[in-house]
Amino acid sequence: MEPASVLAYWLADIGADGNPGRQAAARWFQGGQAVDEEIRTCFGEWVEKALAGGLNVWAANPRGRLALVLLLDQFPRNLYRGCAEAFSGDPRALELTWEALERHEDRELSPTERYFLYMPLEHAEDPEAQAEAVRRFRGLAEEQQPSSFFSGGLDWALRHQKTIERFGHFPARNAALGRETSPTERAFLEEHPAGF
């Protein structure tokens, strides 16, 4: 398996304007059993290697690093939906993203590639990472306007940040991570089923 295989799968069906087609949007944001099984069949072994600390050589260049981030940040959410393991790659993915930003590697990526490089910031239960996510997604939205995809990315980043500011963590993860859900969090989740 090469990083290009991960990128070819995840970034298929992208228009010339950088907006996802219906297939890409469904794969990214709707998921479901068929997508989960496809990722398990095609990439499950590689996700396991990445989660075990392997594939470090992939991070030697920006697109290889992005492929590794996808294996750690996006794919576990499909493979382990509803379980603690869904978030097990988040710390390493976040570290890889911070390193990419320090090295300005994101400048070598397309807007859609940057979108997914920045996702570990948005997924982090950390105010500093959330602030950086908003900054990066705002930059993408301004650069790509009037794209509804990239402006929507900023909207989601702001929602994630607001949730972390309010609770310090994502209440939607409580059950999977064995955390208690307070009455305030329960009311929030009833009002915001997506958790944001």
Side-chain angles (χ1 to χ4, degrees):
M1 173 76 64
E2 295 293 325
S5 300
V6 175
L7 299 180
Y9 170 77
W10 195 248
L11 300 174
D13 191 32
I14 308 296
D17 58 0
N19 290 310
R22 286 168 51 189
Q23 289 180 336
R27 183 170 50 252
W28 298 344
F29 305 121
Q30 295 169 4
Q33 188 174 352
V35 174
D36 295 354
E37 193 54 41
E38 187 174 66
I39 290 173
R40 181 173 288 104
T41 300
C42 297
F43 303 104
E45 173 187 351
W46 298 91
V47 170
E48 290 301 320
K49 287 182 180 182
L51 292 175
L55 307 179
N56 291 325
V57 68
W58 285 23
N61 65 73
R63 284 190 174 78
R65 180 185 297 272
L66 174 61
L68 185 52
V69 166
L70 291 171
L71 290 180
L72 292 163
D73 178 72
Q74 294 292 318
F75 290 10
R77 286 168 163 74
N78 293 93
L79 296 182
Y80 307 111
R81 195 178 297 279
C83 301
E85 290 86 353
F87 315 109
S88 60
D90 286 11
R92 185 163 174 230
L94 181 61
E95 180 180 314
L96 288 164
T97 294
W98 281 124
E99 287 175 359
L101 298 180
E102 288 169 9
R103 298 173 184 179
H104 306 291
E105 290 181 355
D106 55 322
R107 296 176 185 172
E108 300 180 43
L109 302 175
S110 73
T112 307
E113 290 171 330
R114 279 184 274 152
Y115 187 103
F116 287 102
L117 179 68
Y118 301 156
M119 286 297 278
L121 298 165
E122 188 174 319
H123 288 157
E125 294 184 321
D126 173 76
E128 180 185 359
Q130 290 296 320
E132 188 67 19
V134 167
R135 189 171 85 77
R136 298 291 174 165
F137 279 98
R138 179 171 282 120
L140 279 174
E142 290 171 356
E143 174 189 318
Q144 298 300 310
Q145 61 180 324
S147 166
S148 60
F149 171 63
F150 289 102
S151 63
L154 173 59
D155 181 57
W156 281 109
L158 289 165
R159 291 185 194 196
H160 281 75
Q161 183 184 43
K162 192 172 185 179
T163 302
I164 294 300
E165 286 174 351
R166 182 172 178 187
F167 298 108
H169 61 268
F170 294 118
R173 297 182 187 176
N174 286 351
L177 296 176
R179 300 188 300 217
E180 290 291 326
T181 300
S182 71
T184 303
E185 291 173 340
R186 196 168 294 112
F188 171 79
L189 292 172
E190 288 172 6
E191 188 176 340
H192 305 276
F196 312 105

